[in-house]
Amino acid sequence: MLERLFQLSAHGTTVRTELIAGLTTFLTMAYIVFVNPMMMADAGIDPGAAFVATCIAAAIGSMIMGLWANYPIALAPGMGLNAFFSYTVVGSMGYSWQVALGAVFISGFLFFLLSIFKIREWIINSIPMALRSAIAAGIGLFLALIALKNAGLVVDHPATLVTLGDLTQPAPLLAGLGFAVIVALAYRRVTGAVMIGILLITLISLALGLTQADGVMSAPPSLGPTFLELDIRGALEVGLISVIFAFLFVDLFDTSGTLIGVAQKANLVDKEGKMPRLGRALLADSGATMAGAALGTSTTTSYVESAAGTAAGGRTGLTACVVGALFLLCLFFSPLAEAVPAFATAPALFFVAVLMMSGLVQVDWEDLTVAAPVVVTALTMPLTFSIANGIALGFITWTGIKLLAGRWQDLNPSLYALAGLFIIKLALFN
């Protein structure tokens, strides 16, 4: 049955190899079951329900990717957009988490339509690579600021906005230790480095009495507080248009880059370098986002950590299905997730931030018409605490500078349209 379903022989793999690859991928991304519920709780969502929604959304997305698209790529609620969901849309802009979930659902539905009508390629090709790199780096800086705040390393200050926290407290010291451990283990190519770092700091905090645990395993918490609680009508408010676009754009770029990058490393592309079932993979991603919003979590997306599984030999959707099954198994470990303190997940956020900054290497820093918009995009995300603001100001700056510099040939109709829309949004609905 497995041979017929996943075509194992045609892909030069075996059931054993796929099982090992699935476990490898899961260990590299399982940290999300600790991090995401904590972020969703900061938006006012019941942490138990958020934990269940995270596990089920990851399982659904990975299963669809495996069974329908037959790719060894796993999905889960994405880093960056979960922070944008909680700290910007709900925290700074003041919308309810129900409305924010509605915005996530709409962005997933738009992604679904773009995938069906094959408009995705046109949009991605219209956005300059440097601007896409800037968006990824900006999200990384945004996550870094949140990580430093959660660790107590950065605190607010009335005169300077931010300043160094109290380093005599255990939280920043343990967070620093966790980050060093994660980086060292990742450098040594230890599978599950991020999760090991989180669990190590959690165990230390339990030993020191800084946190309490009510056990390791139990029946899954209730999904009732969040199930189908999304407010789609409220999300259609004009002021949320840029938020929906931010969810859509980031998911679109992140998913496309992850799918193509992992597929190329795993030799799953055709002679022209294209993915044979890319449409199915994108539909799996958009479908998982809509399902996740209905369950009660932020945007679900393809994980670049899937490359760890393909490096272990994973070549088919069986790898993704194994990951999905392991996420369902996680449902019974909610007490462990609840025992993880914020300063234990902060190192994971900061490590992800480090990885997301790597895209800046591709930027042509000698061309000021490119470098300036990139810096504006990347810096305004953390400093305005909004991915949407960073994207908006990035498009406006890119278009304006290119025009004033006489480089209008570098622009296309979509850049003019998006810059115009973002100007109107910031002027009237900010």
Side-chain angles (χ1 to χ4, degrees):
M1 184 188 70
L2 293 176
E3 171 63 37
R4 187 170 61 253
L5 194 60
F6 299 107
Q7 300 173 340
L8 301 176
S9 299
H11 288 87
T13 185
T14 64
V15 172
R16 181 179 180 276
T17 300
E18 295 292 300
L19 292 175
I20 293 173
L23 177 61
T24 302
T25 295
F26 173 77
L27 290 174
T28 61
M29 61 185 288
Y31 65 87
I32 196 65
V33 301
F34 303 122
V35 178
N36 197 58
M38 193 172 294
M39 285 194 172
M40 295 295 100
D42 288 342
I45 293 178
D46 179 79
F51 172 79
V52 174
T54 299
C55 294
I56 296 180
I60 289 174
S62 299
M63 291 287 190
I64 296 175
M65 182 68 77
L67 293 171
W68 197 41
N70 197 22
Y71 279 118
I73 297 172
L75 290 85
M79 294 296 295
L81 287 179
N82 52 5
F84 178 57
F85 178 102
S86 294
Y87 304 118
T88 300
V89 182
V90 177
S92 297
M93 299 176 72
Y95 290 101
S96 68
W97 59 263
Q98 291 90 341
V99 169
L101 286 176
V104 171
F105 183 90
I106 294 171
S107 71
F109 181 68
L110 291 175
F111 194 173
F112 182 80
L113 293 179
L114 293 177
S115 301
I116 286 181
F117 295 109
K118 299 183 178 178
I119 308 173
R120 178 196 68 91
E121 288 85 357
W122 176 77
I123 293 177
I124 291 179
N125 292 335
S126 299
I127 310 303
M129 179 60 74
L131 205 50
R132 280 184 262 167
S133 298
I135 291 172
I139 294 172
L141 291 172
F142 184 45
L143 285 176
L145 181 58
I146 293 168
L148 293 172
K149 172 179 169 291
N150 289 350
L153 279 161
V154 169
V155 296
D156 63 330
H157 191 280
T160 60
L161 293 182
V162 291
T163 190
L164 185 66
D166 186 357
L167 297 185
T168 63
Q169 296 299 311
L173 296 177
L174 286 174
L177 172 63
F179 178 68
V181 168
I182 289 173
V183 172
L185 291 176
Y187 175 76
R188 291 175 175 269
R189 300 187 183 279
V190 175
T191 301
V194 176
M195 192 170 71
I196 291 171
I198 292 175
L199 292 177
L200 174 65
I201 300 305
T202 300
L203 289 174
I204 293 175
S205 67
L206 288 170
L208 295 177
L210 300 175
T211 54
Q212 303 294 324
D214 296 324
V216 177
M217 296 183 66
S218 72
S222 171
L223 190 60
T226 58
F227 185 63
L228 295 180
E229 289 295 317
L230 67 170
D231 183 358
I232 296 176
R233 180 176 295 181
L236 292 172
E237 183 181 319
V238 176
L240 274 167
I241 289 178
S242 66
V243 169
I244 294 171
F245 268 103
F247 281 129
L248 174 63
F249 280 164
V250 175
D251 192 20
L252 184 64
F253 299 148
D254 193 32
T255 297
S256 300
T258 297
L259 289 173
I260 295 171
V262 174
Q264 286 177 340
K265 287 183 179 179
N267 243 359
L268 296 173
V269 295
D270 59 23
K271 294 178 180 179
E272 297 177 357
K274 296 180 180 179
M275 292 178 67
R277 301 174 300 281
L278 179 59
R280 290 192 177 194
L282 292 171
L283 289 174
D285 195 289
S286 56
T289 291
M290 290 188 284
L295 292 168
T297 187
S298 54
T299 305
T300 302
T301 188
S302 301
Y303 262 57
V304 73
E305 284 86 345
S306 301
T310 58
R315 291 295 181 271
T316 73
L318 181 55
T319 294
C321 288
V322 171
V323 176
L326 290 172
F327 270 115
L328 289 178
L329 187 62
C330 282
L331 287 170
F332 300 96
F333 291 87
S334 60
L336 179 61
E338 292 171 2
V340 177
F343 57 79
T345 58
L349 292 178
F350 204 84
F351 179 69
V352 173
V354 171
L355 299 180
M356 296 185 77
M357 297 297 293
S358 62
L360 292 179
V361 175
Q362 304 172 15
V363 175
D364 181 6
W365 294 102
E366 298 297 322
D367 186 347
L368 286 176
T369 67
V370 170
V374 164
V375 172
V376 168
T377 305
L379 283 182
T380 51
M381 284 190 193
L383 296 181
T384 64
F385 228 61
S386 171
I387 292 173
N389 286 341
I391 292 175
L393 292 171
F395 275 95
I396 293 169
T397 307
W398 183 281
T399 305
I401 288 177
K402 289 288 186 180
L403 280 174
L404 291 173
R407 296 273 296 275
W408 54 268
Q409 69 273 15
D410 293 344
L411 301 172
N412 56 61
S414 61
L415 287 172
Y416 287 116
L418 288 170
L421 286 173
F422 285 132
I423 289 172
I424 294 171
K425 191 273 171 186
L426 292 176
L428 301 178
F429 305 106
N430 193 30

